[in-house]
């Protein structure tokens, strides 16, 4: 008689880390708070529309050929995905079709130049998916700043926004621009700063004040702020992702201590935004230490 062992393969196949279970645990632990719902940069794809993929055979499909050059379905998909990445929102079907048509027309007008402008986007969807949420926020901040600075120079020369940034600006327009420092504040960065307030205040059971009044106060102070402070405001989405990562990873005892610290600070603060910034700095330092 022989003894058979059949359980080993099943044990070996068990993953050491179940991402779906981890998200479920976080949702239960943070029920009723902003951390119960993923930020779109924390989703698997890293794009507002969720799953962004093009079948390889479909991606190679030629949409239009001109002067020996070919524009493929993959070029169009990458362009739309990049624009949504900058906009921070998924486009409507009409907006996607409009942007694709603009790319086709630009290609037909100057195929070589059009493909040169699209080349940096090649593989962009895969690269973003391979990054962690904080890295995605860094990449997005860099891309938004570079893209809008280019468009602002175009406008200074009397030219209109490019078709891509035209549709991006409908969703995520420039709120302020500091030409002397090259800092660009976009609408969703300001929204991210207010989300930081909501997240920090939820730790002590307080509600966010009227968003319109908070936004007005933040912008008013930014007009008189120095370079570092306006850069911090422009990078609010990055700070938000760092703060979310830090809080989600905290143990029960450490989280209780943070809540006590925030309660004392907010109670004595003349400006709650200073407390929010301090918590953001602390989160950034803690995440950086963990990365090392």
């Amino acid at each position: 008689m022989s003894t058979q062992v059949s359980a080993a393969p099943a044990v070996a196949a068990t993953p050491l880390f179940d991402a779906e279970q981890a998200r479920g645990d976080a949702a239960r632990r943070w029920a009723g708070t902003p951390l119960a719902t993923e930020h779109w940069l924390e989703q698997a794809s890293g794009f507002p529309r969720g799953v962004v993929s093009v079948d390889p055979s479909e991606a190679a499909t030629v949409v239009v050929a001109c002067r020996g050059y070919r524009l493929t379905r993959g070029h169009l998909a990458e362009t739309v995905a990049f624009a949504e990445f900058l906009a921070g929102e998924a486009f409507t079907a009409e907006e996607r079709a409009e942007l694709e048509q603009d790319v086709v027309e630009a290609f037909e007008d100057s195929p070589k130049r059009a493909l040169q402008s699209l080349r940096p986007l090649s593989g962009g969807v895969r690269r973003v998916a391979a990054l962690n949420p904080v890295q995605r926020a860094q990449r997005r901040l860099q891309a938004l700043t570079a893209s809008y600075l280019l468009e602002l120079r175009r406008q200074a020369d009397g030219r209109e926004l490019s078709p891509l940034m035209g549709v991006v600006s409908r969703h995520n327009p420039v709120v302020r621009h500091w030409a002397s420092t090259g800092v660009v504040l976009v609408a969703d960065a300001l929204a991210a700063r207010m989300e930081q307030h909501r997240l920090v205040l939820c730790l002590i059971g307080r509600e966010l004040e009227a968003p319109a009044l908070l936004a007005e106060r933040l912008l008013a102070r930014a007009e008189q702020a120095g370079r570092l402070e306006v850069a911090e405001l422009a990078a609010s989405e990055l700070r938000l992702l760092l703060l979310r990562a830090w809080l989600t990873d905290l143990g029960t005892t450490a989280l209780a201590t943070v809540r006590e610290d925030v309660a004392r600070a907010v109670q004595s603060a003349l400006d709650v935004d200073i407390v929010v910034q301090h918590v953001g700095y602390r989160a950034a330092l803690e995440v950086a230490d963990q990365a090392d």
Side-chain angles (χ1 to χ4, degrees), residues 266-278:
V266 169
Q267 186 176 3
S268 60
L270 297 177
D271 186 350
V272 173
D273 188 58
I274 300 299
V275 179
V276 171
Q277 289 186 63
H278 176 75

Side-chain angles (χ1 to χ4, degrees), residues 194-250:
M194 292 189 285
E195 183 64 11
Q196 288 180 62
H197 275 251
R198 191 162 76 99
L199 184 52
V200 170
L201 291 175
C202 88
L203 295 174
I204 56 174
R206 284 186 47 167
E207 297 290 333
L208 178 70
E209 65 177 286
L213 294 177
L214 176 57
E216 182 179 342
R217 192 167 70 252
L218 289 171
L219 287 174
R221 193 168 72 188
E223 295 298 336
Q224 307 299 323
R227 178 175 180 174
L228 289 178
E229 190 170 352
V230 296
E232 176 74 18
L233 182 59
S236 290
E237 185 180 65
L238 175 58
R239 287 294 190 196
L240 175 63
L241 268 292
L242 287 164
L243 181 57
R244 288 176 61 91
W246 178 56
L247 289 174
T248 302
D249 196 48
L250 282 179

Side-chain angles (χ1 to χ4, degrees), residues 155-192:
Q155 289 183 309
D157 292 336
R159 302 167 67 185
E160 296 181 351
L161 286 171
S162 67
L164 186 148
M165 293 307 293
V167 68
V168 169
S169 68
R170 295 177 201 164
H171 296 263
N172 194 20
V174 173
V175 178
R176 292 286 189 279
H177 168 227
W178 290 268
S180 61
T181 59
V183 174
V184 178
L185 176 66
V186 295
D188 72 359
L190 185 61

